[in-house]
Amino acid sequence: MLSAQTASSEFMKKLSALSGVSNVTKIEAAPNTGFSEKYVIKVKQNVDGDNADKGTFDQRVIVGFVGYDKPTVLVTEGYYADYALNPRYTEELCQMFKANLVFCEYRYFAESTPVPTNWDYMTVDNSLRDYHHVRQLLGQLFTGKWVSTGISKGGQTTMFYRATYPDDVDVSVSYVAPLNKAVEDGRHEKFLAKQVGTAEERQAILEAQQEFMKRKEACMPLFREYNKSHNYKYYISEEDVYDYSVLEYPFALWQWGTSVSGIPSADADNQTWFNYLMEIASPDYFAYPNHYMPFDVQAARELGYYGYDLKPIKKWTSLKKTKGYLKQIMLPDSLRDIKFDKALYKRTVKFLKQNDPKHIFIYGEIDPWSASGVCTWLDCKKKENMRVYVQPRGSHKARISNMPDDMKTEIIGRLMGWMGLADMMK
């Protein structure tokens, strides 16, 4: 996938000449992506905001080249950048706008991890400074309009980035982005219990949860063997992890739009029921070492998360409560004293209510993350620009490309107008 560069192109020379850019390596790009050249680079970033005294680290950035004066899509990825190395990878907005790609790996993930790793500096504001710096650097080469975008945590990041550096980009598109107000926000449990899907679907899921618990004793040997074969380790007992997997099951099922028709029949054997639970809510989510621990730190510190409703399985579980589970299950002892700060939530809500940036929000109707999305409170009726679109029966996979035709046409038309590309639609 990575290849040695024998003859440097004009673009590669300009990319390599940018201050703080190193390790410029050409990578493949499939012809249908639209990129004539594609590179992975390292950008030197400060560990702590503008304070270089705290040290630096290299952030991994993938750059796809179309043209200097073409639009540029800045992907504010919330996690790893590995998948952007795939030769076939592109972004639907890159295809739509025939745009350059600037894809940034989030700090503290994979190759963008500071050494030593001081978790005090794993903050949203520091991550936004990273993106701002990349925007300033690559803006020396790409002079067309810029659009920022991201999915899930990346969509959150797009939201926070626009609220903090409102003039960095011309347009923003956030996909399935929650905006949580607490470590356990509180809205997701009600959504799962009373709002999502149909009453019949919710009842089927409730009965499935209870069936998992009734079969727990029989399934525990299977669960222990499963953990052993995958080398999963936990901060709590395997018995409690099983119960948390059952609690996670409704959220995971709805998040990815899995049909309740896959629930095993009541007379199916224990192995079938166990396999089904592992398919929907695998315990790797609770295991350590967890590759998503940087996110867990941020969730505990300022991003927030969701809670669990213990009532459906209370009759069968030994769990007394679930409050505080994220720190107890996801974080080591050394990080469990992190306190949640609501300032980021308040700041973002204030910005979105008081301003009107060119910003599209995409949500899925049955995605539990939509319960804490801006779609629940952001009134766009008095806004000229900002728009929220909720895909009917859509999940966490909601994108512009799979929206209903009328919504898709409206979204694309609005984006093309903002980008000055309306003629491309004719």
Side-chain angles (χ1 to χ4, degrees):
M1 193 176 296
L2 302 179
S3 62
Q5 181 73 14
T6 54
S8 298
S9 70
E10 176 196 50
F11 176 67
M12 183 184 181
K13 290 176 181 177
K14 289 185 176 183
L15 195 59
S16 303
L18 293 174
S19 177
V21 170
S22 62
N23 298 93
V24 179
T25 308
K26 187 173 184 179
I27 57 178
E28 295 180 37
N32 62 356
T33 61
F35 307 129
S36 60
E37 301 173 54
K38 190 177 179 183
Y39 300 91
V40 58
I41 66 176
K42 296 295 181 67
V43 176
K44 182 178 287 188
Q45 300 281 17
N46 291 337
V47 173
D48 185 26
D50 293 323
N51 184 3
D53 293 341
K54 298 295 184 180
T56 62
F57 72 99
D58 288 334
Q59 182 179 24
R60 182 164 58 164
V61 178
I62 291 88
V63 181
F65 180 69
V66 177
Y68 297 110
D69 61 349
K70 298 296 183 181
T72 298
V73 173
L74 173 61
V75 178
T76 59
E77 171 58 39
Y79 300 99
Y80 299 90
D82 299 57
Y83 68 92
L85 300 174
N86 189 311
R88 296 184 298 277
Y89 170 76
T90 185
E91 217 290 328
E92 70 175 6
L93 297 181
C94 287
Q95 297 279 286
M96 189 185 302
F97 302 140
K98 294 180 170 48
N100 302 300
L101 169 73
V102 176
F103 184 109
C104 300
E105 183 166 71
Y106 205 97
R107 60 166 44 212
Y108 284 65
F109 282 94
E111 295 185 17
S112 301
T113 302
V115 179
T117 307
N118 185 329
W119 293 100
D120 290 343
Y121 306 126
M122 179 49 161
T123 67
V124 168
D125 280 341
N126 276 338
S127 76
L128 300 180
R129 190 265 180 197
D130 297 340
Y131 289 107
H132 177 62
H133 183 217
V134 169
R135 167 65 179 90
Q136 289 180 311
L137 278 180
L138 275 298
Q140 298 174 51
L141 302 182
F142 297 137
T143 59
K145 291 194 174 183
W146 281 68
V147 52
S148 59
T149 189
I151 299 167
S152 194
K153 181 172 181 279
Q156 283 183 316
T157 306
T158 290
M159 191 191 319
F160 301 143
Y161 178 50
R162 194 62 187 272
T164 306
Y165 297 99
D167 299 323
D168 266 19
V169 298
D170 301 281
V171 174
S172 299
V173 180
S174 290
Y175 297 90
V176 294
L179 183 57
N180 306 311
K181 61 178 74 173
V183 179
E184 294 172 29
D185 182 281
R187 289 173 284 181
H188 307 93
E189 299 92 314
K190 180 181 178 182
F191 178 82
L192 292 171
K194 299 181 179 180
Q195 296 172 271
V196 68
T198 66
E200 291 76 18
E201 288 173 315
R202 296 194 296 272
Q203 183 62 30
I205 290 168
L206 174 64
E207 291 175 2
Q209 281 186 287
Q210 294 176 348
E211 191 67 28
F212 291 135
M213 295 304 297
K214 292 174 185 176
R215 295 170 181 254
K216 178 179 178 179
E217 184 176 354
C219 286
M220 279 309 299
L222 300 174
F223 191 58
R224 293 189 183 95
E225 182 57 35
Y226 184 90
N227 291 327
K228 183 178 179 181
S229 66
H230 289 82
N231 198 31
Y232 291 156
K233 297 178 175 62
Y234 308 102
Y235 293 120
I236 60 175
S237 71
E238 286 181 299
E239 287 75 12
D240 286 351
V241 173
Y242 181 94
D243 292 4
Y244 273 108
S245 293
V246 174
L247 291 171
E248 174 66 16
Y249 162 76
F251 195 106
L253 182 141
W254 285 115
Q255 178 175 353
W256 300 113
T258 308
S259 173
V260 298
S261 64
I263 297 175
S265 62
D267 58 358
D269 61 22
N270 292 325
Q271 186 72 60
T272 299
W273 275 91
F274 176 77
N275 290 345
Y276 174 66
L277 178 60
M278 295 301 97
E279 177 187 346
I280 304 297
S282 167
D284 65 313
Y285 174 62
F286 302 113
Y288 76 87
N290 188 334
H291 295 302
Y292 290 97
M293 194 180 82
F295 164 73
D296 298 330
V297 170
Q298 286 194 290
R301 175 172 284 146
E302 53 191 339
L303 292 183
Y305 209 50
Y306 56 88
Y308 290 123
D309 183 359
L310 198 56
K311 291 194 294 291
I313 67 169
K314 196 169 184 63
K315 179 179 177 181
W316 299 274
T317 184
S318 59
L319 295 173
K320 302 301 181 187
K321 64 182 182 66
T322 60
K323 187 173 178 59
Y325 78 92
L326 186 141
K327 292 182 184 180
Q328 178 190 15
I329 300 178
M330 314 288 204
L331 297 180
D333 287 341
S334 60
L335 293 172
R336 288 181 189 166
D337 61 350
I338 292 175
K339 304 297 183 185
F340 185 79
D341 187 346
K342 202 173 180 178
L344 176 67
Y345 170 81
K346 291 180 176 178
R347 186 179 85 197
T348 307
V349 168
K350 181 178 180 179
F351 174 83
L352 293 176
K353 285 186 175 181
Q354 295 183 355
N355 295 276
D356 187 23
K358 294 180 173 70
H359 200 143
I360 296 288
F361 293 89
I362 305 290
Y363 289 99
E365 182 185 26
I366 64 172
D367 180 9
W369 286 116
S370 68
S372 58
V374 303
C375 55
T376 61
W377 56 265
L378 184 60
D379 183 4
C380 294
K381 292 177 183 177
K382 297 181 180 179
K383 305 281 188 180
E384 181 179 346
N385 297 313
M386 260 193 304
R387 287 293 181 273
V388 177
Y389 297 91
V390 180
Q391 184 185 73
R393 289 290 298 193
S395 69
H396 213 54
K397 300 175 184 177
R399 305 291 184 268
I400 296 171
S401 59
N402 57 27
M403 279 287 188
D405 288 343
D406 57 339
M407 282 191 187
K408 180 162 62 175
T409 299
E410 181 180 333
I411 294 167
I412 293 174
R414 183 172 289 273
L415 288 172
M416 288 297 194
W418 287 344
M419 298 296 287
L421 302 171
D423 288 344
M424 291 176 60
M425 298 182 65
K426 297 178 180 178

